[in-house]
Amino acid sequence: MTLRVHTVPDLRLGPQQNTLSFDFAALDYGAPDRNQFEYMLEGASPEWVRAERTRSVTFANLGPGDYLLRVRGSGREGVWSTEDGIARFTILSPWWRTSWAYAVYTLLVLGFLYAAYLLRLREIHLQKE
């Protein structure tokens, strides 16, 4: 069976866009009820999953990260495609979990520690006077 791949550009999704659905189809119209599909979502599960009696898959509550969806199909003869359909997507971290946010958190903590150190030095200086 030949799997015609409709590629989409790499998707970059916000942290709230973490539930995705994908539909797939085979071009074997002779016995469409015998078409079968398998998919694997790299980044979430390393195993192929058989799509039983369905031509779609939904992934809910995916965490931030890079993902690669692979789909393969077979027609009425049961011969699996040699080429996988592929969709790449990235779910971005919320702003408070980005490297910029962690840098700001670090600077704030260091600033508070430095301010506490200066206040302590001032107290010691005032006690000496």
Side-chain angles (χ1 to χ4, degrees):
M1 174 183 171
T2 301
L3 179 66
R4 176 167 282 214
V5 180
H6 175 73
T7 58
V8 294
D10 292 358
L11 300 172
R12 292 179 57 84
L13 306 168
Q16 312 85 352
Q17 299 171 309
N18 62 353
T19 299
L20 301 168
S21 292
F22 294 91
D23 295 321
F24 24 89
L27 297 178
D28 187 349
Y29 301 114
D33 56 322
R34 293 178 59 190
N35 293 339
Q36 298 178 44
F37 298 95
E38 290 182 330
Y39 62 87
M40 175 179 23
L41 184 61
E42 293 179 12
S45 174
E47 298 179 8
W48 287 96
V49 177
R50 178 80 45 104
E52 301 288 338
R53 294 184 176 85
T54 184
R55 296 182 339 207
S56 66
V57 63
T58 299
F59 302 103
N61 297 321
L62 292 171
D66 297 320
Y67 297 92
L68 176 68
L69 175 65
R70 295 181 176 277
V71 178
R72 61 185 176 195
S74 73
R76 60 183 159 202
E77 301 88 24
V79 178
W80 289 93
S81 59
T82 57
E83 182 182 351
D84 297 343
I86 294 176
R88 294 184 201 301
F89 59 96
T90 300
I91 297 179
L92 301 173
S93 296
W95 65 268
W96 64 87
R97 289 183 56 195
T98 62
S99 56
W100 285 104
Y102 288 124
V104 169
Y105 301 152
T106 302
L107 289 174
L108 286 173
V109 168
L110 291 174
F112 284 127
L113 291 174
Y114 185 66
Y117 171 74
L118 290 178
L119 285 172
R120 182 67 181 140
L121 281 180
R122 186 171 180 218
E123 281 180 12
I124 292 171
H125 180 69
L126 289 175
Q127 285 177 355
K128 285 183 180 181
E129 290 180 359

